Amino acid sequence: MSGRIRTILSLGVGALFVYWFAHKLNWLEVWIEVRKANWDQLALALALLVGTYFVRVLRWRELLEPMARPSLSALFRATMIGFTALFLVGRAAEMIVRPAALSVKERVHPSASYATVMIERVFDMVMVVVFFAVNLIFFEYIARDADATRLFGWIKVTGVLLLVVAAAGIYGLSAFRRGRNGALTYLERKLTWLPKSAGAAAMSLFRHISEGLAVLHDARGLTITVSYTVLLWLMVALAHLLVVRAFGIPYAEVPFTGAVFVMGLSMLGSVVPTPGGATGPFHTATAAALAFLGVEQNKAASVAIILHLVIFTPATVFGMYYLAKEGLSLERLRRIGAEKGGEDKADEEKTGEPLSPHKQENEGVLAARG
C-alpha cells in the first residue's frame, strides 16, 4: 500500500471518529465546561506530563547503553521531535523520525536506536496493560443497569487476556535474547529471498534488537528500566486524575482507580493510526470511558479534548522549536534515516557484523548481561 493511500485511509478513519465523537454534543455546554475548569490543576497535570519526557529520556539512555552513549540533550531533542512527528503524522512516523533525529548529531546507528524505540514500546504496552488489568481488581464499579454490568464483565475479561498476551510477549522476547545466535542464523537463512540490501537492513535491525533485549537478563538494567516505566505511567495516571478533577468531577464518581481505567481506554484509542495524535479515536475512547463511569456526555467530551491538548501540546511545542533551530523538517529526517540505514548496510556488508560506536567498550557489558 502506497504512502498516499495510507494517508487518505488514516484521514478517513480519523474523520469518522471525529464525527462519531462530536455529532451529538452541545458545543456551547462543552465550552462552558472548559471555561469553568480549574486551570491550576490543569497546569500541574501539564507539568507532570512534561516531566514524563525527561523520564523517557533517562530510560532511552539506559536501553541504548550497550550500543551507544549519546548525550541527554541529544536524547531529549530527538524525543521531542519524535513526538511531534507522532502528533502531526502518526505513531509510525515517530518510530522512524526519532532515531533519525538522534543520528543527526550523535554517532548512533538508526537501526540501533530504532530497536530501542521498539523495546520502549513493548515496556510501555506491558506497563499500561498491567496497570489496567491490576486496577480492575480494585476498581469498584457501581453499575447503573444490567447491560453496564455485562459490559464491565467483558472489560475485566479483556484486561486479563491482554495481561496474558503481554506476559507471553515478554517471555518470547526473553527467549529470543537467550537463543539469539541460533535465532539470528535462522532468520538470516529465511530472509535470503529478500533483495540483498533489504535483507542486510532487516538483519541489522534484528541484531540491534537482540542487543537491546540484553536488559531483560541484566538485573540492574531491568530494575532501572522497569522503575522508569512505572514512574512514567504513574505520572501519566496522576495527570489524568488531575484533568478529571479540574472539571469538578468528584472522587465518588471517578476515583484514582477510575482515572487509571480512563487512561487505559484512552491509550487503547491512541493506538488507532490517525494524524493529530490519534485525534478522534483518543477523544472517542476517553469520553466513552468517562460516560461509562457516569460522567455527563458534554463534560466527558470537554475532559477528552483538554486531556488530548495537555498530553500533546508540550512535546509538539518543544519539537517544533528544535526543528526550527536545527533547520530540519520531518521529511528530511525520514530521508536521513534512509541514508543512514544505507550506510549501516554498506558497513555491515564489509565487516560481516553490525557496527556499534562503542562495540569494543561494551563487549564485556553485553557478555555480563547474557
Side-chain angles (χ1 to χ4, degrees):
M1 186 184 298
S2 71
R4 180 174 295 181
I5 294 176
R6 281 197 301 269
T7 300
I8 293 172
L9 286 175
S10 177
L11 289 171
V13 170
L16 286 174
F17 272 101
V18 168
Y19 174 77
W20 189 8
F21 167 75
H23 78 287
K24 289 185 178 179
L25 295 178
N26 181 329
W27 284 97
L28 178 59
E29 290 294 327
V30 171
W31 174 242
I32 291 171
E33 292 291 347
V34 171
R35 290 191 63 183
K36 290 192 303 184
N38 185 319
W39 292 93
D40 290 337
Q41 289 177 311
L42 292 179
L44 185 54
L46 187 69
L48 274 172
L49 289 167
V50 171
T52 64
Y53 293 113
F54 291 99
V55 177
R56 288 181 184 279
V57 165
L58 293 171
R59 184 181 63 175
W60 195 13
R61 181 178 65 172
E62 180 65 26
L63 290 171
L64 276 169
E65 198 237 344
M67 296 170 279
R69 293 180 181 175
S71 66
L72 287 174
S73 61
L75 289 169
F76 183 78
R77 181 183 66 244
T79 298
M80 295 300 98
I81 292 174
F83 274 84
T84 300
L86 187 156
F87 178 75
L88 296 178
V89 184
R91 191 169 296 276
E94 187 257 347
M95 298 279 287
I96 298 170
V97 168
R98 182 147 65 111
L102 182 61
S103 70
V104 169
K105 288 195 172 182
E106 298 285 324
R107 192 170 183 269
V108 182
H109 291 292
S111 56
S113 52
Y114 181 75
T116 56
V117 170
M118 291 178 65
I119 294 168
E120 276 187 344
R121 287 288 171 266
V122 171
F123 273 96
D124 285 336
M125 180 196 73
V126 170
M127 192 55 59
V128 170
V129 167
V130 168
F131 267 54
F132 185 73
V134 173
N135 181 70
L136 289 175
I137 297 172
F138 303 98
F139 183 39
E140 297 181 4
Y141 174 63
I142 301 174
R144 297 179 303 282
D145 52 48
D147 289 339
T149 301
R150 284 194 294 272
L151 179 58
F152 188 65
W154 280 110
I155 290 172
K156 279 193 168 185
V157 170
T158 302
V160 172
L161 290 175
L162 287 172
L163 193 59
V164 171
V165 170
I170 289 292
Y171 177 80
L173 291 172
S174 178
F176 173 67
R177 170 63 192 179
R178 285 196 305 271
R180 62 190 179 280
N181 292 330
L184 290 171
T185 300
Y186 174 81
L187 287 169
E188 192 166 21
R189 189 167 60 248
K190 289 296 182 180
L191 293 177
T192 53
W193 61 273
L194 289 173
K196 189 175 181 181
S197 60
M203 289 310 302
S204 172
L205 176 60
F206 287 131
R207 290 189 186 102
H208 282 119
I209 289 174
S210 73
E211 289 184 31
L213 289 173
V215 71
L216 296 177
H217 297 275
D218 171 45
R220 174 190 170 277
L222 184 60
T223 300
I224 292 173
T225 304
V226 170
S227 297
Y228 282 143
T229 307
V230 170
L231 175 60
L232 166 66
W233 287 103
L234 277 175
M235 293 169 73
V236 173
L238 186 54
H240 276 69
L241 181 64
L242 283 167
V243 173
V244 168
R245 289 289 174 273
F247 284 85
I249 299 171
Y251 179 86
E253 200 165 357
V254 183
F256 180 74
T257 53
V260 174
F261 176 80
V262 173
M263 180 188 77
L265 290 186
S266 68
M267 292 302 104
L268 181 63
S270 70
V271 171
V272 180
T274 61
T279 294
F282 177 96
H283 298 78
T284 302
T286 303
L290 288 164
F292 182 76
L293 298 179
V295 178
E296 189 272 328
Q297 182 184 38
N298 292 304
K299 180 171 285 192
S302 64
V303 172
I305 292 167
I306 296 301
L307 182 61
H308 187 264
L309 290 173
V310 168
I311 289 173
F312 286 103
T313 299
T316 305
V317 170
F318 276 115
M320 296 299 289
Y321 165 76
Y322 283 121
L323 286 170
K325 181 182 177 182
E326 304 294 337
L328 297 170
S329 67
L330 297 181
E331 185 57 36
R332 183 183 171 195
L333 285 172
R334 283 177 170 178
R335 290 198 302 269
I336 288 173
E339 291 164 4
K340 292 281 186 181
E343 292 171 7
D344 286 357
K345 288 178 282 185
D347 289 334
E348 287 180 19
E349 288 169 4
K350 290 177 184 177
T351 62
E353 59 182 45
L355 286 179
S356 175
H358 299 279
K359 185 176 186 300
Q360 296 291 333
E361 185 176 342
N362 286 296
E363 280 180 350
V365 175
L366 290 171
R369 288 187 171 189

